[in-house]
Amino acid sequence: AMKKVLIPLALLIVGLALIILAILPGNQSDAIKLEIQNAKAIMPGAYKVYANPNTLKGKYYLFKMLVTNEGKKTVYDLKVSYRIPRYIEWTEIQVIKRLDPGQSAAICCYPTFEDRVAEKTTSSLEKADIRLVSATVNREEQFSFEMKGRNDILYTSIPSQEISGYGDMFDNSELFACFVTPEDPIIKYYTQQIQEKVLKGEEASVTKKPDEAIRFLMGIYQATFDAHMVYSGTKGVPGGFDDVKSLVQHLRLPREVVTGNTGLCIELSLLYASVLACEGLTPIIFLIPGHAYPGFLLNGMYYAIEATDILGEGLGGRKSAQEALTEGDKELKEFLQAFNNGDPKFKLHNIGELQSQGVLPMELKDDAILRLKVDEIARTFNQGGGGGQVVNPPRNDVARNNNNGNGAGNGNGNGNGNGNGNGNGNVRIGQENGLDMKYKGSVSFSYPADWKLVNKPNPLFSAMVSLVHSPNRMANVEIYEIAGAADAQSAMQFLHDSYSSAGIKLQYQFGGQSNEYQIVSGTSTTLVGSTRWTAYLRAGSNGVSAVVAGSVSQYYNDYQSILASILATIN
């Protein structure tokens, strides 16, 4: 009788259990099928592009994923998240509200990196994690990808075996716009030096007249010419399928081209584009097989210059700015003929247009050391040397020829050489103009009225508090306050270390004393030349004050007398 009761009871319990299991959601993770297509490499220099699904038709993503419910039950509120350890914390991409059996949903992940990713300079293998979570699903997947350095650009993301034409080789060439950095503080500073020292403050973007813009384009060339920048090779861009070995190139950033004083054709083009954009012009980069060159678009017309005509040691003769412009014009005519005929080997990129569409450059921080390098390079501007064929060229010979009656530095006859219009006329180097101005600080000295005082010339190098320079900037007096230095030796060691880290070599020796000042003489040497100087250093309760008077070496004999006169007034 007991068995007759237990058997139905057991069957009832089993039936209830089956009903409960049917009602309860259970774990449906295995019923979710994932098909993941991930990027094989990420370019940090283009991190702003990856974050924007509306840029370049959304083709720059971290991964695409198809989520399919192969189970028999509906999945509700399925949250999809991802992370890249060390770069991006868990971030929710999407919530799939309902996924019925047999139904699929497409997910696309556009990663949002922090600006600091642009500080990454080497390649590494990274992993990305994907997580899917709901009341019934708890699933994680992982894939690997290569994180390139910020300077790396893949010319194409198409696998080499699938490249079917020349256009496929440059599938990513729009990303050149990410390497055009007009907002970089170093490029802004460099552009300012070109404006002040090469073009004498004349603007190229105020009226947008072609002749002014052309003058500015030639001014960029002149700056690279005067600095003896070197065109560092012919492999600027691939010229054909045989050149595409790894499909990746390491590009110097424009700031690195300036401070390293060298660049490939594409790197020079990126520098020009950055400076042109900084001035408010619309830069263009022209690409042909094996080569690139810069220009701009103005009032519907294209203009170009052959930036590589600066050449370098062992690469042939250097050409003037006018010759480079003439060659650029010839190349442009050939380019436009082929481009308008639809030849895919000839491409142009309107950088302003691309950046307005979201192909934005990386964020770069200001750097005191790089500013020091720009300062040293800028001292070479307008020293002549045969390249000064800029429209309405500035006079470079004022330091040697005082009979032109055109002023003391800009050769425009408008004043005293620093643009203040005071009308000093023919100013001679020496003491004829008198040491009429007084510098007053922890140290004091007198200097000529036509020299210009600049306070805090390099805000990121706080030790240099002021600078007084000659009208043509071939000579200057630098004033330093070196806090914490106990004596002249430790102060000079500080300056030596600071400038060495900027690639500037200081050689010096201690001499005698003048009252309470220790006298030091020396030479500063960079890639672009040298400066001879004499320093007066005085120790105080808060550190050491220093006055350093010097000149570009090739003009030192012209300025030696007036520099000695300035130093003689120190108290």
Side-chain angles (χ1 to χ4, degrees):
M2 182 63 70
K3 285 185 177 181
K4 290 180 179 180
V5 174
L6 291 175
I7 291 173
L9 183 60
L11 292 174
L12 178 62
I13 293 172
V14 171
L16 288 172
L18 292 174
I19 292 172
I20 293 171
L21 288 173
I23 296 173
L24 291 174
N27 190 334
Q28 297 175 262
S29 297
D30 292 339
I32 299 298
K33 178 184 177 183
L34 303 180
E35 298 174 68
I36 302 172
Q37 178 184 341
N38 64 275
K40 304 304 180 186
I42 294 290
M43 293 169 275
Y47 71 96
K48 293 184 180 180
V49 174
Y50 285 100
N52 190 346
N54 298 316
T55 298
L56 299 177
K57 299 180 180 180
K59 70 177 183 177
Y60 294 99
Y61 52 82
L62 178 62
F63 66 85
K64 289 182 177 180
M65 181 171 64
L66 189 66
V67 183
T68 303
N69 183 357
E70 294 187 330
K72 297 180 179 180
K73 299 173 184 177
T74 298
V75 175
Y76 296 94
D77 297 325
L78 183 61
K79 296 180 180 179
V80 182
S81 305
Y82 80 102
R83 72 172 178 179
I84 302 176
R86 298 191 302 127
Y87 295 99
I88 300 175
E89 297 300 322
W90 280 111
T91 302
E92 186 177 288
I93 307 171
Q94 187 174 330
V95 177
I96 304 172
K97 292 296 185 181
R98 176 172 179 153
L99 196 64
D100 293 325
Q103 189 178 14
S104 297
I107 305 291
C108 197
C109 175
Y110 293 93
T112 301
F113 292 95
E114 296 179 4
D115 290 343
R116 63 183 176 86
V117 76
E119 299 172 7
K120 188 177 190 298
T121 56
T122 58
S123 295
S124 61
L125 185 65
E126 304 292 342
K127 295 184 183 297
D129 299 316
I130 303 173
R131 177 188 289 167
L132 295 88
V133 177
S134 73
T136 60
V137 175
N138 191 344
R139 177 85 175 269
E140 288 196 15
E141 294 291 337
Q142 188 179 76
F143 63 84
S144 299
F145 65 94
E146 185 179 9
M147 180 76 90
K148 310 298 292 185
R150 72 175 183 188
N151 295 76
D152 295 328
I153 185 169
L154 295 165
Y155 277 108
T156 180
S157 298
I158 301 173
S160 57
Q161 66 272 16
E162 297 179 18
I163 292 178
S164 59
Y166 193 88
D168 288 348
M169 289 173 52
F170 295 94
D171 185 53
N172 293 335
S173 61
E174 290 93 344
L175 296 183
F176 282 136
C178 296
F179 294 82
V180 176
T181 56
E183 295 302 317
D184 178 0
I186 301 304
I187 291 301
K188 284 186 172 182
Y189 189 56
Y190 180 69
T191 304
Q192 176 187 338
Q193 303 308 305
I194 293 175
Q195 278 286 16
E196 292 181 0
K197 301 177 184 178
V198 179
L199 299 173
K200 305 306 178 186
E202 294 186 19
E203 296 290 336
S205 61
V206 175
T207 62
K208 295 292 181 73
K209 291 182 179 179
D211 58 343
E212 294 175 346
I214 291 170
R215 174 179 166 82
F216 186 74
L217 182 67
M218 296 173 72
I220 303 173
Y221 183 93
Q222 189 63 45
T224 63
F225 186 100
D226 286 348
H228 290 273
M229 185 177 285
V230 175
Y231 168 46
S232 53
T234 57
K235 294 295 183 181
V237 293
F241 294 104
D242 292 340
D243 291 333
V244 185
K245 303 294 185 184
S246 62
L247 303 176
V248 63
Q249 184 175 19
H250 183 88
L251 294 177
R252 299 177 185 92
L253 300 182
R255 59 163 51 189
E256 294 166 342
V257 174
V258 170
T259 57
N261 216 34
T262 186
L264 298 167
C265 63
I266 182 60
E267 295 167 337
L268 292 171
S269 297
L270 296 172
L271 169 61
Y272 273 70
S274 298
V275 176
L276 288 166
C278 189
E279 187 58 25
L281 294 164
T282 301
I284 304 292
I285 293 180
F286 301 93
L287 295 174
I288 64 176
H291 190 47
Y293 53 93
F296 62 87
L297 175 65
L298 182 61
N299 300 331
M301 297 289 291
Y302 291 104
Y303 302 85
I305 195 167
E306 183 45 73
T308 66
D309 277 348
I310 52 172
L311 295 175
E313 296 299 326
L315 293 176
R318 307 168 75 206
K319 296 182 180 179
S320 70
Q322 184 62 60
E323 290 171 323
L325 187 70
T326 300
E327 185 171 347
D329 184 60
K330 177 182 177 182
E331 292 174 330
L332 179 58
K333 290 176 181 177
E334 296 172 353
F335 176 93
L336 291 176
Q337 182 177 356
F339 180 78
N340 291 330
N341 288 334
D343 191 332
K345 298 184 181 65
F346 292 77
K347 301 184 70 171
L348 68 81
H349 290 307
N350 183 320
I351 301 302
E353 186 176 286
L354 284 169
Q355 293 190 342
S356 70
Q357 294 172 357
V359 191
L360 298 173
M362 63 195 85
E363 298 288 333
L364 297 170
K365 297 179 180 179
D366 209 342
D367 189 302
I369 302 305
L370 296 184
R371 282 189 179 239
L372 289 174
K373 287 188 176 183
V374 173
D375 286 338
E376 285 300 310
I377 289 169
R379 290 186 184 183
T380 67
F381 294 170
N382 276 336
Q383 289 188 35
Q389 305 296 322
V390 178
V391 178
N392 299 319
R395 304 184 72 92
N396 298 322
D397 58 352
V398 179
R400 296 181 180 276
N401 183 355
N402 299 311
N403 297 318
N404 53 57
N406 288 328
N410 56 18
N412 60 17
N414 290 331
N416 63 6
N418 60 16
N420 62 16
N422 288 334
N424 287 335
N426 180 21
V427 179
R428 301 173 63 85
I429 289 181
Q431 299 184 49
E432 293 90 336
N433 197 39
L435 303 181
D436 299 325
M437 303 300 292
K438 189 79 171 180
Y439 177 85
K440 295 181 179 180
S442 60
V443 294
S444 299
F445 58 86
S446 299
Y447 60 93
D450 62 331
W451 286 37
K452 185 176 181 179
L453 170 65
V454 182
N455 290 316
K456 296 182 179 179
N458 187 340
L460 296 181
F461 188 44
S462 58
M464 184 189 293
V465 295
S466 298
L467 170 72
V468 181
H469 63 75
S470 64
N472 64 359
R473 298 176 184 265
M474 291 299 103
N476 59 48
V477 181
E478 299 167 351
I479 302 93
Y480 295 88
E481 296 293 344
I482 305 167
D487 49 34
Q489 285 82 0
S490 57
M492 287 305 304
Q493 187 63 49
F494 169 81
L495 293 176
H496 175 274
D497 294 344
S498 297
Y499 280 102
S500 292
S501 63
I504 302 168
K505 183 179 180 181
L506 264 63
Q507 293 179 310
Y508 57 89
Q509 59 184 10
F510 287 88
Q513 285 191 310
S514 176
N515 297 325
E516 54 199 316
Y517 288 92
Q518 172 70 56
I519 301 174
V520 180
S521 59
T523 303
S524 304
T525 305
T526 69
L527 291 172
V528 297
S530 63
T531 300
R532 292 177 62 183
W533 47 266
T534 300
Y536 277 49
L537 299 96
R538 182 179 67 185
S541 58
N542 296 322
V544 172
S545 300
V547 178
V548 183
S551 168
V552 174
S553 294
Q554 69 188 87
Y555 293 113
Y556 186 75
N557 290 337
D558 295 313
Y559 285 99
Q560 186 175 13
S561 176
I562 193 168
L563 292 173
S565 298
I566 292 171
L567 291 172
T569 67
I570 291 178
N571 55 53

